Short mmCIF file of all heavy atoms in Angstrom, two decimals:
data_model
loop_
_atom_site.label_atom_id
_atom_site.label_comp_id
_atom_site.label_asym_id
_atom_site.label_seq_id
_atom_site.Cartn_x
_atom_site.Cartn_y
_atom_site.Cartn_z
N MET A 114 -9.13 2.45 92.93
CA MET A 114 -10.13 2.02 91.95
C MET A 114 -9.91 2.63 90.60
O MET A 114 -9.88 2.02 89.52
CB MET A 114 -11.55 2.13 92.43
CG MET A 114 -12.48 1.55 91.54
SD MET A 114 -12.59 -0.19 91.69
CE MET A 114 -14.07 -0.54 90.77
N GLU A 115 -9.62 3.87 90.70
CA GLU A 115 -9.46 4.72 89.36
C GLU A 115 -8.18 4.28 88.75
O GLU A 115 -8.19 4.17 87.50
CB GLU A 115 -9.31 6.27 89.82
CG GLU A 115 -9.16 7.06 88.60
CD GLU A 115 -10.47 7.27 87.83
OE1 GLU A 115 -11.56 6.98 88.31
OE2 GLU A 115 -10.30 7.47 86.55
N THR A 116 -7.14 3.97 89.42
CA THR A 116 -5.89 3.50 88.91
C THR A 116 -6.01 2.19 88.18
O THR A 116 -5.50 1.94 87.11
CB THR A 116 -4.82 3.37 89.92
OG1 THR A 116 -4.61 4.61 90.60
CG2 THR A 116 -3.44 3.03 89.36
N GLU A 117 -6.82 1.34 88.84
CA GLU A 117 -7.13 -0.03 88.23
C GLU A 117 -7.79 -0.02 86.91
O GLU A 117 -7.53 -0.63 85.94
CB GLU A 117 -7.85 -0.91 89.21
CG GLU A 117 -6.96 -1.29 90.47
CD GLU A 117 -7.88 -1.99 91.40
OE1 GLU A 117 -9.05 -1.83 91.43
OE2 GLU A 117 -7.22 -2.65 92.37
N LEU A 118 -8.77 0.98 86.84
CA LEU A 118 -9.61 1.20 85.67
C LEU A 118 -8.73 1.76 84.67
O LEU A 118 -8.89 1.46 83.45
CB LEU A 118 -10.77 2.13 85.89
CG LEU A 118 -11.97 1.52 86.69
CD1 LEU A 118 -12.96 2.59 87.03
CD2 LEU A 118 -12.50 0.36 85.93
N GLU A 119 -7.77 2.67 84.95
CA GLU A 119 -6.95 3.30 83.94
C GLU A 119 -6.03 2.24 83.38
O GLU A 119 -5.77 2.17 82.17
CB GLU A 119 -6.20 4.42 84.51
CG GLU A 119 -7.02 5.68 84.70
CD GLU A 119 -6.17 6.79 85.47
OE1 GLU A 119 -5.03 6.55 85.73
OE2 GLU A 119 -6.79 7.85 85.58
N SER A 120 -5.50 1.38 84.20
CA SER A 120 -4.55 0.28 83.79
C SER A 120 -5.33 -0.65 82.90
O SER A 120 -4.76 -1.08 81.94
CB SER A 120 -4.04 -0.39 84.98
OG SER A 120 -3.25 -1.47 84.66
N LEU A 121 -6.57 -0.90 83.26
CA LEU A 121 -7.30 -1.92 82.41
C LEU A 121 -7.60 -1.28 81.08
O LEU A 121 -7.59 -2.00 79.99
CB LEU A 121 -8.67 -2.38 83.12
CG LEU A 121 -9.57 -3.22 82.45
CD1 LEU A 121 -8.89 -4.55 82.18
CD2 LEU A 121 -10.83 -3.39 83.31
N GLU A 122 -7.90 -0.01 81.12
CA GLU A 122 -8.22 0.71 79.78
C GLU A 122 -6.96 0.77 78.91
O GLU A 122 -7.07 0.55 77.71
CB GLU A 122 -8.56 2.20 80.07
CG GLU A 122 -9.01 2.98 78.83
CD GLU A 122 -9.46 4.34 79.15
OE1 GLU A 122 -9.65 4.66 80.43
OE2 GLU A 122 -9.50 5.16 78.28
N GLU A 123 -5.85 0.88 79.53
CA GLU A 123 -4.60 0.94 78.80
C GLU A 123 -4.38 -0.46 78.17
O GLU A 123 -3.91 -0.61 76.97
CB GLU A 123 -3.41 1.27 79.58
CG GLU A 123 -3.39 2.72 79.96
CD GLU A 123 -2.34 3.17 80.94
OE1 GLU A 123 -1.34 2.13 81.18
OE2 GLU A 123 -2.19 4.16 81.38
N LYS A 124 -4.58 -1.45 78.87
CA LYS A 124 -4.37 -2.94 78.48
C LYS A 124 -5.31 -3.20 77.39
O LYS A 124 -4.96 -3.89 76.36
CB LYS A 124 -4.59 -3.91 79.58
CG LYS A 124 -3.39 -3.79 80.71
CD LYS A 124 -3.54 -4.73 81.73
CE LYS A 124 -2.49 -4.68 82.84
NZ LYS A 124 -2.63 -5.38 83.99
N VAL A 125 -6.55 -2.79 77.52
CA VAL A 125 -7.60 -3.06 76.43
C VAL A 125 -7.17 -2.40 75.24
O VAL A 125 -7.35 -2.86 74.15
CB VAL A 125 -8.99 -2.64 76.94
CG1 VAL A 125 -9.88 -2.69 75.73
CG2 VAL A 125 -9.49 -3.60 77.98
N SER A 126 -6.78 -1.09 75.33
CA SER A 126 -6.34 -0.29 74.22
C SER A 126 -5.16 -0.96 73.39
O SER A 126 -5.13 -1.00 72.36
CB SER A 126 -5.92 1.10 74.67
OG SER A 126 -5.59 1.92 73.49
N LEU A 127 -4.14 -1.42 74.19
CA LEU A 127 -2.98 -2.12 73.69
C LEU A 127 -3.54 -3.44 72.95
O LEU A 127 -3.02 -3.70 71.90
CB LEU A 127 -2.01 -2.49 74.79
CG LEU A 127 -0.80 -3.32 74.37
CD1 LEU A 127 -0.01 -2.57 73.30
CD2 LEU A 127 0.01 -3.72 75.62
N LEU A 128 -4.33 -4.22 73.57
CA LEU A 128 -4.92 -5.32 72.96
C LEU A 128 -5.58 -5.02 71.68
O LEU A 128 -5.30 -5.73 70.64
CB LEU A 128 -5.86 -5.98 74.01
CG LEU A 128 -6.37 -7.26 73.37
CD1 LEU A 128 -5.43 -8.42 73.28
CD2 LEU A 128 -7.57 -7.82 74.42
N LEU A 129 -6.34 -4.00 71.56
CA LEU A 129 -6.97 -3.57 70.33
C LEU A 129 -5.96 -3.30 69.19
O LEU A 129 -6.12 -3.63 67.98
CB LEU A 129 -7.98 -2.51 70.51
CG LEU A 129 -9.30 -2.89 71.29
CD1 LEU A 129 -10.16 -1.57 71.67
CD2 LEU A 129 -10.03 -3.80 70.51
N ARG A 130 -5.01 -2.49 69.67
CA ARG A 130 -3.92 -2.11 68.66
C ARG A 130 -3.12 -3.33 68.20
O ARG A 130 -2.88 -3.45 66.95
CB ARG A 130 -2.86 -1.24 69.21
CG ARG A 130 -3.36 0.25 69.27
CD ARG A 130 -2.16 1.28 69.58
NE ARG A 130 -1.35 0.83 70.69
CZ ARG A 130 -1.64 1.20 72.06
NH1 ARG A 130 -2.63 2.09 72.32
NH2 ARG A 130 -0.89 0.92 72.96
N MET A 131 -2.91 -4.25 69.06
CA MET A 131 -2.28 -5.53 68.68
C MET A 131 -3.05 -6.39 67.81
O MET A 131 -2.56 -6.92 66.77
CB MET A 131 -1.83 -6.31 69.92
CG MET A 131 -0.75 -5.75 70.76
SD MET A 131 -0.38 -6.51 72.20
CE MET A 131 0.30 -8.01 71.69
N TYR A 132 -4.46 -6.36 68.02
CA TYR A 132 -5.32 -7.07 67.15
C TYR A 132 -5.35 -6.41 65.84
O TYR A 132 -5.40 -7.15 64.84
CB TYR A 132 -6.72 -7.11 67.84
CG TYR A 132 -7.80 -7.64 66.98
CD1 TYR A 132 -7.94 -8.94 66.66
CD2 TYR A 132 -8.70 -6.69 66.39
CE1 TYR A 132 -8.91 -9.44 65.93
CE2 TYR A 132 -9.70 -7.16 65.58
CZ TYR A 132 -9.93 -8.62 65.38
OH TYR A 132 -10.82 -8.96 64.57
N GLN A 133 -5.45 -5.10 65.72
CA GLN A 133 -5.52 -4.52 64.43
C GLN A 133 -4.32 -4.63 63.68
O GLN A 133 -4.32 -4.98 62.38
CB GLN A 133 -5.84 -3.07 64.65
CG GLN A 133 -7.21 -2.79 65.11
CD GLN A 133 -7.46 -1.30 65.51
OE1 GLN A 133 -6.52 -0.54 65.76
NE2 GLN A 133 -8.70 -0.99 65.69
N ASP A 134 -3.16 -4.54 64.36
CA ASP A 134 -1.71 -4.79 63.69
C ASP A 134 -1.80 -6.19 63.18
O ASP A 134 -1.32 -6.47 61.97
CB ASP A 134 -0.73 -4.53 64.66
CG ASP A 134 -0.53 -3.11 64.94
OD1 ASP A 134 -0.98 -2.27 64.29
OD2 ASP A 134 0.16 -2.90 65.97
N THR A 135 -2.29 -7.14 63.90
CA THR A 135 -2.23 -8.51 63.55
C THR A 135 -3.10 -8.84 62.26
O THR A 135 -2.75 -9.64 61.42
CB THR A 135 -2.64 -9.59 64.54
OG1 THR A 135 -1.76 -9.26 65.78
CG2 THR A 135 -2.57 -10.92 64.27
N ARG A 136 -4.24 -8.22 62.21
CA ARG A 136 -5.23 -8.31 60.96
C ARG A 136 -4.52 -7.73 59.75
O ARG A 136 -4.59 -8.31 58.78
CB ARG A 136 -6.50 -7.55 61.34
CG ARG A 136 -7.46 -8.29 62.23
CD ARG A 136 -8.72 -7.52 62.57
NE ARG A 136 -9.35 -7.14 61.22
CZ ARG A 136 -10.34 -7.86 60.48
NH1 ARG A 136 -10.81 -8.86 61.04
NH2 ARG A 136 -10.79 -7.32 59.51
N VAL A 137 -3.82 -6.56 59.87
CA VAL A 137 -3.09 -5.99 58.79
C VAL A 137 -2.00 -6.90 58.30
O VAL A 137 -1.88 -7.20 57.09
CB VAL A 137 -2.50 -4.62 59.00
CG1 VAL A 137 -1.65 -4.10 58.10
CG2 VAL A 137 -3.80 -3.60 59.36
N GLU A 138 -1.24 -7.41 59.30
CA GLU A 138 -0.19 -8.43 58.98
C GLU A 138 -0.72 -9.69 58.27
O GLU A 138 -0.18 -10.11 57.26
CB GLU A 138 0.73 -8.75 60.16
CG GLU A 138 1.83 -9.68 59.83
CD GLU A 138 2.51 -10.06 61.08
OE1 GLU A 138 2.11 -9.73 62.14
OE2 GLU A 138 3.59 -10.64 60.92
N ASN A 139 -1.78 -10.12 58.70
CA ASN A 139 -2.43 -11.24 58.10
C ASN A 139 -2.92 -11.09 56.81
O ASN A 139 -2.61 -11.96 55.95
CB ASN A 139 -3.61 -11.80 59.10
CG ASN A 139 -4.18 -13.08 58.55
OD1 ASN A 139 -3.41 -13.99 58.34
ND2 ASN A 139 -5.43 -13.22 58.69
N LYS A 140 -3.37 -9.84 56.44
CA LYS A 140 -3.87 -9.65 55.05
C LYS A 140 -2.70 -9.64 54.17
O LYS A 140 -2.71 -10.03 53.04
CB LYS A 140 -4.68 -8.23 55.03
CG LYS A 140 -6.09 -8.47 55.69
CD LYS A 140 -6.94 -7.32 55.24
CE LYS A 140 -8.27 -7.35 55.76
NZ LYS A 140 -9.19 -8.16 55.04
N ILE A 141 -1.57 -8.85 54.60
CA ILE A 141 -0.35 -8.93 53.90
C ILE A 141 0.20 -10.34 53.57
O ILE A 141 0.49 -10.62 52.38
CB ILE A 141 0.80 -8.13 54.55
CG1 ILE A 141 0.38 -6.48 54.57
CG2 ILE A 141 2.03 -8.23 53.86
CD1 ILE A 141 1.17 -5.72 55.46
N LEU A 142 0.21 -11.18 54.56
CA LEU A 142 0.60 -12.51 54.36
C LEU A 142 -0.23 -13.34 53.58
O LEU A 142 0.26 -14.06 52.77
CB LEU A 142 0.89 -13.16 55.81
CG LEU A 142 2.00 -12.64 56.64
CD1 LEU A 142 1.88 -13.24 58.09
CD2 LEU A 142 3.29 -12.85 56.05
N GLN A 143 -1.50 -13.13 53.60
CA GLN A 143 -2.41 -13.81 52.66
C GLN A 143 -2.08 -13.38 51.20
O GLN A 143 -2.18 -14.24 50.25
CB GLN A 143 -3.92 -13.54 53.08
CG GLN A 143 -4.41 -14.18 54.28
CD GLN A 143 -5.79 -13.71 54.70
OE1 GLN A 143 -6.28 -12.66 54.25
NE2 GLN A 143 -6.61 -14.71 55.48
N LYS A 144 -1.88 -12.18 51.03
CA LYS A 144 -1.66 -11.64 49.62
C LYS A 144 -0.29 -12.35 49.14
O LYS A 144 -0.21 -12.70 47.99
CB LYS A 144 -1.66 -10.24 49.55
CG LYS A 144 -1.48 -9.66 48.16
CD LYS A 144 -1.31 -8.13 48.03
CE LYS A 144 -1.08 -7.71 46.65
NZ LYS A 144 -0.26 -8.48 45.70
N GLU A 145 0.70 -12.26 50.05
CA GLU A 145 1.97 -12.84 49.59
C GLU A 145 1.75 -14.18 49.33
O GLU A 145 2.44 -14.83 48.43
CB GLU A 145 2.97 -12.63 50.73
CG GLU A 145 3.55 -11.17 50.83
CD GLU A 145 4.46 -11.11 52.08
OE1 GLU A 145 4.78 -12.04 52.69
OE2 GLU A 145 4.86 -9.90 52.27
N LEU A 146 1.02 -15.06 50.17
CA LEU A 146 0.83 -16.48 49.87
C LEU A 146 0.19 -16.71 48.58
O LEU A 146 0.49 -17.49 47.82
CB LEU A 146 0.06 -17.04 51.04
CG LEU A 146 -0.21 -18.53 50.84
CD1 LEU A 146 0.93 -19.44 50.87
CD2 LEU A 146 -1.12 -18.90 52.17
N ALA A 147 -0.95 -15.94 48.28
CA ALA A 147 -1.60 -16.01 46.95
C ALA A 147 -0.75 -15.71 45.80
O ALA A 147 -0.79 -16.46 44.80
CB ALA A 147 -2.80 -15.12 46.93
N ASP A 148 0.14 -14.68 45.97
CA ASP A 148 1.00 -14.40 44.90
C ASP A 148 2.05 -15.45 44.67
O ASP A 148 2.49 -15.96 43.52
CB ASP A 148 1.84 -13.02 45.29
CG ASP A 148 1.00 -11.91 45.14
OD1 ASP A 148 -0.17 -11.89 44.61
OD2 ASP A 148 1.38 -10.77 45.72
N SER A 149 2.49 -16.07 45.80
CA SER A 149 3.48 -17.21 45.64
C SER A 149 2.77 -18.46 45.08
O SER A 149 3.46 -19.11 44.31
CB SER A 149 3.98 -17.59 47.09
OG SER A 149 4.76 -16.59 47.69
N HIS A 150 1.55 -18.60 45.41
CA HIS A 150 0.85 -19.77 44.90
C HIS A 150 0.67 -19.58 43.32
O HIS A 150 0.93 -20.51 42.56
CB HIS A 150 -0.51 -19.90 45.50
CG HIS A 150 -1.29 -21.08 45.07
ND1 HIS A 150 -2.23 -21.08 44.17
CD2 HIS A 150 -1.22 -22.30 45.44
CE1 HIS A 150 -2.71 -22.25 43.87
NE2 HIS A 150 -2.16 -23.12 44.76
N ASN A 151 0.36 -18.32 42.94
CA ASN A 151 0.17 -18.12 41.43
C ASN A 151 1.53 -18.21 40.70
O ASN A 151 1.60 -18.80 39.64
CB ASN A 151 -0.35 -16.49 41.21
CG ASN A 151 -1.80 -16.41 41.62
OD1 ASN A 151 -2.51 -17.47 41.73
ND2 ASN A 151 -2.22 -15.26 41.98
N GLN A 152 2.66 -17.73 41.32
CA GLN A 152 3.85 -17.89 40.73
C GLN A 152 4.16 -19.44 40.59
O GLN A 152 4.83 -19.81 39.63
CB GLN A 152 4.98 -17.22 41.49
CG GLN A 152 6.26 -17.20 40.95
CD GLN A 152 7.45 -16.49 41.75
OE1 GLN A 152 7.15 -16.19 42.91
NE2 GLN A 152 8.43 -16.21 41.18
N CYS A 153 4.04 -20.18 41.60
CA CYS A 153 4.27 -21.73 41.64
C CYS A 153 3.45 -22.21 40.41
O CYS A 153 3.98 -23.04 39.80
CB CYS A 153 3.96 -22.18 42.99
SG CYS A 153 4.36 -23.95 43.12
N GLU A 154 2.29 -21.93 40.33
CA GLU A 154 1.51 -22.41 39.33
C GLU A 154 2.03 -22.18 37.92
O GLU A 154 2.12 -23.06 36.93
CB GLU A 154 0.04 -22.01 39.29
CG GLU A 154 -0.82 -22.65 40.45
CD GLU A 154 -2.17 -22.15 40.49
OE1 GLU A 154 -2.64 -21.20 39.83
OE2 GLU A 154 -3.04 -22.79 41.16
N LYS A 155 2.48 -20.97 37.69
CA LYS A 155 3.02 -20.51 36.46
C LYS A 155 4.35 -21.24 36.23
O LYS A 155 4.65 -21.74 35.14
CB LYS A 155 3.28 -19.12 36.44
CG LYS A 155 2.12 -18.19 36.32
CD LYS A 155 2.59 -16.73 36.28
CE LYS A 155 1.31 -15.86 36.49
NZ LYS A 155 1.56 -14.40 36.52
N LEU A 156 5.15 -21.47 37.23
CA LEU A 156 6.43 -22.20 37.19
C LEU A 156 6.24 -23.67 36.67
O LEU A 156 6.83 -24.27 35.93
CB LEU A 156 7.30 -22.15 38.37
CG LEU A 156 7.90 -20.57 38.58
CD1 LEU A 156 8.58 -20.64 40.03
CD2 LEU A 156 8.91 -20.38 37.47
N ASN A 157 5.08 -24.27 37.43
CA ASN A 157 4.76 -25.64 37.03
C ASN A 157 4.39 -25.75 35.74
O ASN A 157 4.72 -26.76 35.11
CB ASN A 157 3.72 -26.08 38.11
CG ASN A 157 4.25 -26.63 39.39
OD1 ASN A 157 5.35 -26.98 39.50
ND2 ASN A 157 3.40 -26.44 40.45
N GLU A 158 3.51 -24.85 35.15
CA GLU A 158 3.16 -25.01 33.80
C GLU A 158 4.48 -24.87 32.83
O GLU A 158 4.46 -25.54 31.80
CB GLU A 158 2.26 -23.84 33.47
CG GLU A 158 1.68 -23.71 32.12
CD GLU A 158 0.89 -24.99 31.65
OE1 GLU A 158 0.29 -25.57 32.56
OE2 GLU A 158 1.01 -25.36 30.58
N LYS A 159 5.31 -23.95 33.21
CA LYS A 159 6.64 -23.87 32.39
C LYS A 159 7.33 -25.28 32.43
O LYS A 159 7.94 -25.71 31.44
CB LYS A 159 7.41 -22.77 32.76
CG LYS A 159 6.98 -21.42 32.41
CD LYS A 159 7.88 -20.31 32.90
CE LYS A 159 7.35 -18.89 32.49
NZ LYS A 159 8.41 -17.92 32.96
N ILE A 160 7.35 -25.83 33.56
CA ILE A 160 8.02 -27.03 33.68
C ILE A 160 7.36 -28.10 32.84
O ILE A 160 8.16 -28.88 32.12
CB ILE A 160 8.03 -27.59 35.09
CG1 ILE A 160 9.07 -26.67 35.94
CG2 ILE A 160 8.42 -29.13 35.22
CD1 ILE A 160 8.96 -26.94 37.45
N HIS A 161 6.07 -28.21 32.82
CA HIS A 161 5.32 -29.16 31.94
C HIS A 161 5.59 -28.91 30.61
O HIS A 161 5.78 -29.85 29.72
CB HIS A 161 3.85 -29.11 32.42
CG HIS A 161 3.48 -29.76 33.62
ND1 HIS A 161 3.81 -31.15 33.94
CD2 HIS A 161 3.07 -29.20 34.78
CE1 HIS A 161 3.33 -31.30 35.22
NE2 HIS A 161 2.85 -30.27 35.70
N VAL A 162 5.54 -27.70 30.16
CA VAL A 162 5.84 -27.22 28.77
C VAL A 162 7.23 -27.68 28.35
O VAL A 162 7.46 -28.40 27.24
CB VAL A 162 5.59 -25.81 28.48
CG1 VAL A 162 6.21 -25.42 27.14
CG2 VAL A 162 4.23 -25.59 28.59
N ALA A 163 8.18 -27.39 29.16
CA ALA A 163 9.59 -27.87 28.83
C ALA A 163 9.80 -29.35 28.90
O ALA A 163 10.44 -29.86 27.92
CB ALA A 163 10.52 -27.18 29.94
N ALA A 164 9.09 -30.00 29.74
CA ALA A 164 9.19 -31.46 29.68
C ALA A 164 8.46 -32.09 28.47
O ALA A 164 9.07 -33.01 27.81
CB ALA A 164 8.48 -32.07 30.96
N ASP A 165 7.34 -31.48 28.11
CA ASP A 165 6.78 -32.01 26.83
C ASP A 165 7.64 -31.78 25.54
O ASP A 165 7.80 -32.66 24.68
CB ASP A 165 5.47 -31.26 26.61
CG ASP A 165 4.38 -31.75 27.59
OD1 ASP A 165 4.62 -32.77 28.26
OD2 ASP A 165 3.44 -31.08 27.73
N ARG A 166 8.30 -30.54 25.59
CA ARG A 166 9.25 -30.24 24.47
C ARG A 166 10.47 -31.20 24.38
O ARG A 166 10.88 -31.65 23.37
CB ARG A 166 9.61 -28.70 24.49
CG ARG A 166 8.49 -27.76 24.25
CD ARG A 166 8.80 -26.37 24.60
NE ARG A 166 9.66 -25.84 23.60
CZ ARG A 166 10.18 -24.60 23.61
NH1 ARG A 166 9.99 -23.95 24.66
NH2 ARG A 166 10.86 -24.16 22.52
N LEU A 167 10.92 -31.46 25.65
CA LEU A 167 12.09 -32.37 25.83
C LEU A 167 11.78 -33.68 25.31
O LEU A 167 12.56 -34.40 24.55
CB LEU A 167 12.65 -32.34 27.27
CG LEU A 167 13.80 -33.29 27.56
CD1 LEU A 167 15.00 -32.73 26.58
CD2 LEU A 167 14.21 -33.19 29.01
N GLU A 168 10.59 -34.08 25.69
CA GLU A 168 10.07 -35.40 25.30
C GLU A 168 9.98 -35.66 23.81
O GLU A 168 10.39 -36.58 23.20
CB GLU A 168 8.74 -35.83 25.90
CG GLU A 168 8.32 -37.17 25.59
CD GLU A 168 7.08 -37.55 26.41
OE1 GLU A 168 6.62 -36.74 27.30
OE2 GLU A 168 6.45 -38.65 26.13
N ALA A 169 9.47 -34.51 23.25
CA ALA A 169 9.44 -34.45 21.72
C ALA A 169 10.70 -34.54 20.98
O ALA A 169 10.83 -35.30 20.07
CB ALA A 169 8.60 -33.26 21.29
N LEU A 170 11.60 -33.87 21.59
CA LEU A 170 13.05 -33.79 21.06
C LEU A 170 13.61 -35.15 21.14
O LEU A 170 14.32 -35.68 20.19
CB LEU A 170 13.87 -32.78 21.71
CG LEU A 170 13.63 -31.31 21.40
CD1 LEU A 170 14.37 -30.40 22.31
CD2 LEU A 170 13.92 -31.02 19.90
N LEU A 171 13.47 -35.86 22.28
CA LEU A 171 13.98 -37.16 22.57
C LEU A 171 13.43 -38.24 21.57
O LEU A 171 14.12 -39.15 21.04
CB LEU A 171 13.75 -37.64 24.04
CG LEU A 171 14.71 -36.90 25.05
CD1 LEU A 171 14.32 -37.27 26.45
CD2 LEU A 171 16.11 -37.15 24.76
N LEU A 172 12.13 -38.14 21.22
CA LEU A 172 11.54 -38.93 20.29
C LEU A 172 12.17 -38.91 18.88
O LEU A 172 12.04 -39.81 18.16
CB LEU A 172 9.99 -38.73 20.31
CG LEU A 172 9.33 -39.28 21.61
CD1 LEU A 172 7.88 -38.91 21.63
CD2 LEU A 172 9.51 -40.69 21.85
N ASN A 173 12.53 -37.65 18.53
CA ASN A 173 13.18 -37.43 17.24
C ASN A 173 14.51 -37.82 17.04
O ASN A 173 15.05 -37.66 15.97
CB ASN A 173 12.96 -35.90 16.79
CG ASN A 173 11.44 -35.64 16.60
OD1 ASN A 173 10.65 -36.45 16.15
ND2 ASN A 173 10.94 -34.44 16.98
N ILE A 174 15.28 -38.14 18.16
CA ILE A 174 16.66 -38.56 18.11
C ILE A 174 16.69 -39.97 17.43
O ILE A 174 16.12 -40.86 17.94
CB ILE A 174 17.31 -38.53 19.42
CG1 ILE A 174 17.37 -37.17 20.07
CG2 ILE A 174 18.75 -39.15 19.40
CD1 ILE A 174 18.05 -37.05 21.35
N PRO A 175 17.45 -40.14 16.39
CA PRO A 175 17.58 -41.44 15.82
C PRO A 175 18.25 -42.35 16.71
O PRO A 175 19.26 -42.09 17.39
CB PRO A 175 18.42 -41.18 14.48
CG PRO A 175 18.89 -39.81 14.53
CD PRO A 175 18.29 -39.15 15.78
N LYS A 176 17.90 -43.52 16.71
CA LYS A 176 18.37 -44.70 17.47
C LYS A 176 19.66 -45.24 16.70
O LYS A 176 19.41 -45.56 15.56
CB LYS A 176 17.46 -45.78 17.88
CG LYS A 176 16.28 -45.21 18.70
CD LYS A 176 15.21 -46.28 19.04
CE LYS A 176 14.17 -45.81 19.90
NZ LYS A 176 13.03 -46.76 20.08
N ASN A 177 20.68 -45.60 17.50
CA ASN A 177 21.80 -46.29 16.86
C ASN A 177 21.44 -47.76 16.69
O ASN A 177 21.01 -48.42 17.71
CB ASN A 177 23.12 -46.23 17.65
CG ASN A 177 23.68 -44.85 17.67
OD1 ASN A 177 23.47 -44.13 16.67
ND2 ASN A 177 24.49 -44.59 18.62
N GLU A 178 21.55 -48.30 15.52
CA GLU A 178 21.16 -49.69 15.28
C GLU A 178 22.36 -50.56 15.05
O GLU A 178 23.37 -50.35 14.77
CB GLU A 178 20.28 -49.80 13.98
CG GLU A 178 18.96 -49.07 14.48
CD GLU A 178 18.00 -49.21 13.21
OE1 GLU A 178 18.10 -50.16 12.43
OE2 GLU A 178 17.01 -48.45 13.18
#
């Protein structure tokens, strides 16, 4: 009986360590995802600015008649 309890205790301890490790990894991944999302938003804004500038330039090109 003692051996079974020790084995169960070890398994519970391992499970708790794995749970804590997973929580830490999850927080890291959440931060990386948020950072990536912010970077994506910044890049999208740059694309829109560049597209607007390109459109303005194209409107100023004289047409061949």
Side-chain angles (χ1 to χ4, degrees):
M114 182 77 171
E115 183 71 26
T116 306
E117 292 172 343
L118 286 175
E119 287 176 359
S120 175
L121 180 60
E122 184 179 346
E123 288 175 12
K124 289 177 183 178
V125 169
S126 184
L127 175 62
L128 180 62
L129 287 173
R130 279 195 311 269
M131 291 172 66
Y132 170 75
Q133 290 169 343
D134 290 347
T135 302
R136 284 181 49 97
V137 169
E138 183 181 8
N139 189 39
K140 286 194 181 273
I141 291 169
L142 291 172
Q143 286 175 338
K144 183 181 181 323
E145 287 177 3
L146 180 61
D148 291 345
S149 294
H150 186 264
N151 289 336
Q152 184 180 14
C153 184
E154 286 181 345
K155 288 177 184 177
L156 291 172
N157 278 332
E158 181 60 29
K159 285 183 179 184
I160 288 170
H161 287 297
V162 168
D165 291 344
R166 291 169 81 187
L167 181 58
E168 185 176 351
L170 288 171
L171 290 173
L172 291 174
N173 288 327
I174 294 176
K176 296 180 181 178
N177 285 340
E178 295 183 19

